Amino acid sequence: MTDVKRELSSIDLAAVVAELGAYEGAKLDKAYLYDDDLLRLKMRDFDRGRVELLVEVGETKRAHVSDPENVPDAPGRPPNFAMMLRNRLSGADFAGVEQYGFDRILQFHFERGDEDTTIVAELFGQGNVAVLDENNEVVDSLDTVRLKSRTVAPGSQYEFPDERINPLEVEYETLVAHMEESDTDLVRTLATQLNFGGLYAEEVCTRAGVEKGKDIADADESDYEAIFDAIQRLAEPVRSADFDPRVYEEDDVLVDVTPMPLEEYADLDSEAFDTFNEAVDYYFANFVPEGETEAEQSAGDQRPDFEAEIEKQKRIIQQQEQAIEGFEQEAEQEREKAERLYGHYGLADDILTTVRNALDEGTSWDEIEARFEEGAEQGIEAAEAVRGVDPENGMVTVELDGVNVPLDAEMGVEKNADRLYTEAKRIEEKKEGALAAIEDTREDLEEVEKRKEEWEADPDESDAEADEDEQEDVDWLSRQSIPVRQQEQWYERFRWFRTSDGFLVIGGRNADQNEELVQKYLEGNDLFFHAQAHGGPVTVLKTSDPSEPSRDVDVPEQSKREAAQFAVSYSSVWKDSRFAGDAYVVTPDQVSKTPESGEYLEKGGFAIRGDREYFRDVEVGVAVGISCEPHTRVLGGPPEAIVPQVETHIEVEPGRYAQNDIAKRIYRAFRERFIDTSFVRKVASPDLIQEFLPPGGSRMKDE
């Protein structure tokens, strides 16, 4: 099941902003605040009448114009924040909205004769709304933020977080540089280094026709060129504000809304909308958050409608079987086109040569098409085979033995045939994905049928299962259904784990994150660890949360050893297939970005001054496991720290399997251990497991 979208992405917000410009000049009537996270701005537009702008920054994060029918009723007594907005904005003109770089931050500008106001909506992390005066000073904010990197508090100057790279505007050379700095695969590099996020990173790979899991070390210039071209095609609708919005549905559940159709969702049902704001409004007015299905919202003691669920799963399987059959036919059609092309090599070569020569002479596509029509009337074989031209894409379609074959005029016969074979291969890969999906659906069907049998054998058993969450000792591996309880944390984009004593340890995934950790998150009483090897992550043991005052505490030796093992395991020591290495620890005041005279520090590197405490011959070691309480998620890191925190685990060591391959092997092993395999699929997919694996090859320790 596709994860249900709860937050708009950076690309989504760019589309929202492009459309909201049409509402400039509208006058604000009143502001409302619901549950400290949903802001409603009621405006009047000369042409459109009533305009409702919603901004939500809680677990759901969105910003869009809403149909009045989808707007909640006015709350009771307005809180002080809403009253402040009414005092500042009543009668103000909406002067426009802009996105801060490629971040999920929107700035709504309002102008009034006596004062101007900007509302900043932070649609990331914990979410926040800040109200600024004309000097960008914070008048008030829903939450007060005091971090080393930035402060958002009444009376302070508003500070934006560091701006991220905009992948839609990246130059080719910059793209290549980020790719070559990465130590993971193509799709994860696009998702993290280029800020695409998971979905759009996969979409770029699909459009580019490259293998998502290909390791950067195996990628070449042709991969980068294909990816760059796919990014340009993805960016074009955003640049031109020419959207084709879609709301996607899977198994009768709304799962996503996007400003343009996505190939990643080609197998899902979708509904088109005239504007992206309309699509977003419809989606959030009708979606059901994951974990709150209709079945779970129904009365607790009633018999579940097993028959309806069984029929639903069977219907899904039938649809998947039809999709697989369709993929097979499409792939065969593409191969047949390539074979027809080779069978009529001379004819196709004549047509392509004619078109290229005409274009080189400055002949227009209309004239080329007219010449082919004249040639066909004269009985010229090559001209008779032409069925049409596509000037926009530089294509000419020819009929070969009754099969229409589109040819790229810039390519020769061989490259056109290769293009068709590549397309057939891409379709077959989609078929493989559908085959895997149908197996998952069959497992879900078996699970429902089994639950039906258990219910009918003992209807009271469900009550016992419902109370199991409250029991101290729960056999999660044997549970038929495990509730998903997830809570996103600020540090999850780094490498991280919690020590046996509960200290948070975070490490950089690349040079940029190494810089960020030292500059933003390394504070006075923290500890700085690093492997005595090149290419290791900056590792910080936090003695306090970034939002809390720094604490002077004694860090137990056990936690220090675990942090040292973490630093060694995720360094080049593992990548070099070594099983031990040295690490050291220093205090923050010993870490400097200023090199010694005559020396140079590369990006992500730091100068260490003073004495170091060394940990010699530290064994590498990483365990990956699944935690079921208090939150359901993958955890990974030093075994002594991880094993007590998870329900089940697998230890890995340097070996021959690439990151994505060993992640899949671990995933399959976890699925064999849990009765609720759908739970494993939701919280411990191969991609999530891979986040905790060291760079380089690995193997399961007990294999």
Side-chain angles (χ1 to χ4, degrees):
M1 178 73 181
T2 304
D3 291 339
V4 176
K5 171 180 278 186
R6 301 197 65 144
E7 301 180 1
L8 293 184
S9 69
S10 294
I11 290 179
D12 298 335
L13 292 175
V16 167
V17 167
E19 293 182 349
L20 287 181
Y23 296 91
E24 290 185 20
K27 286 194 176 294
L28 193 138
D29 284 337
K30 194 170 287 187
Y32 304 88
L33 182 65
Y34 303 78
D35 298 326
D36 290 329
D37 61 17
L38 175 60
L39 180 64
R40 169 189 166 198
L41 300 177
K42 182 179 178 181
M43 300 186 289
R44 288 176 291 109
D45 183 77
F46 180 78
D47 296 320
R48 299 172 180 80
R50 178 180 170 187
V51 176
E52 295 281 3
L53 177 62
L54 299 183
V55 178
E56 189 170 6
V57 296
E59 288 189 10
T60 299
K61 294 180 176 64
R62 55 177 173 141
H64 58 90
V65 167
S66 179
D67 187 304
E69 293 184 0
N70 296 330
V71 172
D73 294 334
R77 180 182 177 84
N80 292 337
F81 189 85
M83 290 301 297
M84 175 274 298
L85 281 176
R86 293 181 185 183
N87 291 334
R88 291 189 65 90
L89 297 179
S90 180
D93 294 327
F94 176 47
V97 57
E98 60 184 307
Q99 182 179 13
Y100 177 69
F102 194 68
D103 284 291
R104 289 186 290 164
I105 300 176
L106 299 186
Q107 303 172 72
F108 298 90
H109 301 293
F110 293 89
E111 296 177 351
R112 200 170 66 179
D114 56 338
E115 58 187 359
D116 296 340
T117 301
T118 297
I119 297 176
V120 179
E122 298 181 353
L123 299 157
F124 64 92
Q126 299 299 315
N128 199 6
V129 172
V131 180
L132 316 182
D133 63 16
E134 53 269 26
N135 299 315
N136 280 343
E137 186 174 295
V138 179
V139 177
D140 201 357
S141 58
L142 290 181
D143 289 314
T144 297
V145 178
R146 298 185 187 277
L147 302 176
K148 185 175 182 180
S149 58
R150 61 191 294 257
T151 298
V152 180
S156 68
Q157 198 74 14
Y158 181 80
E159 298 174 343
F160 288 100
D162 290 342
E163 191 170 347
R164 304 187 304 160
I165 185 174
N166 186 341
L168 302 184
E169 298 178 356
V170 69
E171 298 291 336
Y172 178 72
E173 292 75 14
T174 305
L175 170 72
V176 173
H178 278 275
M179 287 290 185
E180 293 181 343
E181 286 179 3
S182 176
D183 63 355
T184 181
D185 54 32
L186 289 176
V187 70
R188 291 166 62 81
T189 302
L190 288 168
T192 57
Q193 304 302 303
L194 275 298
N195 299 318
F196 270 111
L199 172 62
Y200 283 101
E202 293 188 352
E203 178 70 12
V204 168
C205 289
T206 298
R207 293 191 180 196
V210 300
E211 181 185 345
K212 299 174 184 177
K214 178 181 282 190
D215 194 277
I216 288 293
D218 299 326
D220 56 27
E221 190 171 348
S222 64
D223 294 315
Y224 298 151
E225 289 175 349
I227 287 172
F228 183 73
D229 180 64
I231 292 174
Q232 301 312 301
R233 286 184 277 119
L234 183 68
E236 180 54 34
V238 180
R239 294 193 188 111
S240 61
D242 183 15
F243 305 117
D244 183 9
R246 301 298 172 94
V247 170
Y248 288 97
E249 180 180 306
E250 182 177 5
D251 303 343
D252 300 324
V253 175
L254 299 185
V255 294
D256 210 340
V257 55
T258 61
M260 74 272 299
L262 300 185
E263 292 187 25
E264 283 297 299
Y265 289 157
D267 301 335
L268 301 185
D269 294 330
S270 67
E271 182 176 352
F273 287 79
D274 291 334
T275 70
F276 186 52
N277 273 263
E278 289 177 8
V280 174
D281 182 45
Y282 175 84
Y283 176 80
F284 283 106
N286 293 280
F287 92 121
V288 178
E290 191 172 11
E292 298 179 21
T293 62
E294 293 180 4
E296 289 170 329
Q297 294 173 357
S298 62
D301 294 333
Q302 296 180 358
R303 179 185 186 275
D305 192 350
F306 294 114
E307 289 74 19
E309 182 64 20
I310 289 171
E311 286 304 312
K312 174 182 174 182
Q313 298 297 339
K314 288 181 176 179
R315 186 173 66 253
I316 294 170
I317 290 173
Q318 184 180 19
Q319 292 172 348
Q320 290 171 328
E321 288 173 339
Q322 292 172 350
I324 291 169
E325 184 179 348
F327 290 143
E328 290 173 347
Q329 292 174 352
E330 289 178 36
E332 182 58 34
Q333 288 170 359
E334 294 302 312
R335 280 193 296 269
E336 185 179 5
K337 291 175 185 177
E339 290 164 5
R340 290 285 192 280
L341 188 54
Y342 275 125
H344 296 272
Y345 190 104
L347 178 65
D349 189 50
D350 286 345
I351 294 171
L352 289 170
T353 301
T354 299
V355 173
R356 282 198 298 271
N357 289 341
L359 291 172
D360 290 342
E361 294 170 358
T363 308
S364 70
W365 278 98
D366 289 339
E367 292 179 79
I368 291 172
E369 186 172 29
R371 289 183 186 179
F372 278 126
E373 290 174 354
E374 292 174 6
E377 292 175 359
Q378 297 169 13
I380 299 173
E381 182 185 9
E384 288 179 328
V386 175
R387 290 292 173 266
V389 299
D390 178 4
E392 184 175 344
N393 296 306
M395 307 289 286
V396 55
T397 300
V398 300
E399 182 182 337
L400 304 175
D401 291 342
V403 177
N404 285 339
V405 182
L407 303 177
D408 189 329
E410 295 295 322
M411 299 179 179
V413 176
E414 293 91 346
K415 287 191 175 181
N416 270 289
D418 287 344
R419 177 178 57 81
L420 294 168
Y421 280 126
T422 300
E423 178 62 14
K425 182 179 179 182
R426 187 184 72 83
I427 295 170
E428 285 179 334
E429 288 175 352
K430 293 178 69 175
K431 170 192 166 185
E432 293 302 317
L435 285 170
I438 201 171
E439 287 305 313
D440 289 339
T441 308
R442 286 175 177 145
E443 290 178 4
D444 292 342
L445 174 60
E446 291 176 4
E447 180 186 330
V448 176
E449 291 173 335
K450 185 174 181 180
R451 283 196 286 116
K452 178 187 175 185
E453 291 176 5
E454 292 174 347
W455 179 283
E456 292 173 346
D458 185 3
D460 295 330
E461 185 178 338
S462 61
D463 294 334
E465 287 190 359
D467 293 336
E468 268 190 80
D469 284 338
E470 300 177 5
Q471 300 174 8
E472 290 185 5
D473 297 321
V474 179
D475 183 4
W476 294 104
L477 298 179
S478 301
R479 282 290 298 269
Q480 296 291 332
S481 178
I482 303 175
V484 176
R485 299 183 294 267
Q486 295 177 319
Q487 183 177 357
E488 184 179 351
Q489 301 291 344
W490 63 270
Y491 46 77
E492 291 182 12
R493 61 193 181 91
F494 302 104
R495 298 193 188 280
W496 69 277
F497 80 100
R498 286 195 179 274
T499 71
S500 301
D501 305 297
F503 289 94
L504 174 65
V505 176
I506 47 180
R509 294 183 180 274
N510 50 50
D512 286 334
Q513 286 196 351
N514 283 346
E515 296 269 355
E516 184 179 0
L517 284 176
V518 171
Q519 293 174 6
K520 293 184 179 181
Y521 297 106
L522 182 63
E523 298 180 298
N525 293 299
D526 298 337
L527 295 177
F528 176 100
F529 290 80
H530 202 282
Q532 191 68 22
H534 183 72
V538 161
T539 300
V540 176
L541 186 150
K542 297 290 299 176
T543 56
S544 61
D545 190 271
S547 61
E548 301 173 349
S550 183
R551 298 179 294 144
D552 184 8
V553 298
D554 291 328
V555 179
E557 194 65 23
Q558 174 75 9
S559 288
K560 290 182 181 180
R561 286 199 306 270
E562 290 169 358
Q565 186 178 41
F566 177 89
V568 170
S569 297
Y570 291 95
S571 74
S572 59
V573 170
W574 189 291
K575 205 167 188 178
D576 294 340
S577 297
R578 292 186 283 142
F579 285 77
D582 297 339
Y584 62 83
V585 59
V586 295
T587 55
D589 60 332
Q590 294 178 254
V591 183
S592 172
K593 193 62 182 171
T594 304
E596 298 291 348
S597 178
E599 294 182 357
Y600 167 76
L601 290 176
E602 60 185 18
K603 188 173 186 180
F606 299 90
I608 306 298
R609 296 181 170 85
D611 295 336
R612 312 178 187 189
E613 178 185 350
Y614 279 93
F615 296 83
R616 302 293 186 182
D617 295 323
V618 177
E619 290 187 9
V620 298
V622 170
V624 179
I626 298 179
S627 168
C628 295
E629 56 181 355
H631 303 296
T632 50
R633 59 162 304 123
V634 178
L635 294 177
E640 288 189 28
I642 297 302
V643 173
Q645 301 178 39
V646 297
E647 182 65 23
T648 186
H649 73 279
I650 290 173
E651 290 191 43
V652 293
E653 62 185 9
R656 62 190 179 93
Y657 297 107
Q659 270 190 338
N660 58 322
D661 292 331
I662 189 64
K664 292 174 184 176
R665 294 171 71 86
I666 295 172
Y667 168 70
R668 288 194 291 268
F670 283 152
R671 281 175 64 93
E672 292 174 358
R673 298 181 184 184
F674 281 87
I675 295 295
D676 186 0
T677 56
S678 64
F679 163 77
V680 179
R681 190 171 68 247
K682 292 173 185 174
V683 305
S685 67
D687 283 347
L688 293 172
I689 291 171
Q690 190 171 335
E691 290 183 3
F692 292 92
L693 295 174
S698 301
R699 65 186 294 273
M700 288 190 274
K701 198 168 183 178
D702 297 329
E703 281 187 321

